[in-house]
Amino acid sequence: MHKPISQAEILIAGPARNNADTLATEVTTLLSSVADFKKSYCLVVESDSTDNTLDVLDRLQKALPSFDYISLGQLAKKMPGRTERLAYARNRILEEVRHNPKYAAVDYVVMADLDGINRSITREK
């Protein structure tokens, strides 16, 4: 049996690389779209950024109590394939959902691209 949205918790998560220009807008848009949930979280798994993505992630973490991120550092040295790195980051998200007590009560997980594609998402949609 599914909980009503007003009683459910949701995690929005996704990988990021060089998303400094879009990240803050994407996160706030996505979190606003799930405002009817009892509690919402956002988790970003970053790797290999050469822009100021890490600075943006730090600012978001300080500004939004429901936001967290993990930086995996320079994965491209160990994993040259883009799809391999994306799979690794997404699997890290799944590990967090399974083992991080912060997400123990999460009922829904939304995997999202964070590269500017979510601008038209609203609570109604």
Side-chain angles (χ1 to χ4, degrees), residues 51-69:
D51 63 359
N52 66 335
T53 294
L54 286 170
D55 293 333
V56 173
L57 290 168
D58 280 335
R59 284 195 303 270
L60 286 168
Q61 188 174 43
K62 290 173 184 163
L64 302 170
S66 62
F67 180 85
D68 203 1
Y69 77 93

Side-chain angles (χ1 to χ4, degrees), residues 3-11 31 34-41 66 105-108:
K3 291 181 185 176
I5 286 176
S6 64
Q7 296 175 11
E9 296 189 14
I10 189 167
L11 169 66
L31 285 173
V34 296
D36 291 336
F37 280 80
K38 176 182 174 183
K39 188 151 186 151
S40 59
Y41 304 91
S66 62
V106 165
D107 301 292
Y108 298 95

Side-chain angles (χ1 to χ4, degrees), residues 11-113:
L11 169 66
I12 298 170
R17 177 181 181 198
N18 291 334
N19 295 82
D21 292 340
T22 59
L23 204 50
T25 300
E26 292 289 288
V27 167
T28 55
T29 298
L30 289 167
L31 285 173
S32 293
S33 73
V34 296
D36 291 336
F37 280 80
K38 176 182 174 183
K39 188 151 186 151
S40 59
Y41 304 91
C42 185
L43 174 64
V44 174
V45 175
E46 179 279 337
S47 73
D48 298 289
S49 293
T50 56
D51 63 359
N52 66 335
T53 294
L54 286 170
D55 293 333
V56 173
L57 290 168
D58 280 335
R59 284 195 303 270
L60 286 168
Q61 188 174 43
K62 290 173 184 163
L64 302 170
S66 62
F67 180 85
D68 203 1
Y69 77 93
I70 297 167
S71 178
L72 300 174
Q74 300 300 310
L75 282 184
K77 294 176 183 177
K78 300 177 207 169
M79 298 177 197
R82 179 181 176 270
T83 56
E84 183 182 18
R85 289 191 308 273
L86 281 170
Y88 187 84
R90 288 178 180 140
N91 285 334
R92 179 61 190 268
I93 291 165
L94 294 175
E95 288 299 313
E96 289 295 309
V97 170
R98 288 184 189 121
H99 302 293
N100 189 331
K102 182 177 184 176
Y103 307 121
V106 165
D107 301 292
Y108 298 95
V109 177
V110 174
M111 294 294 269
D113 288 329

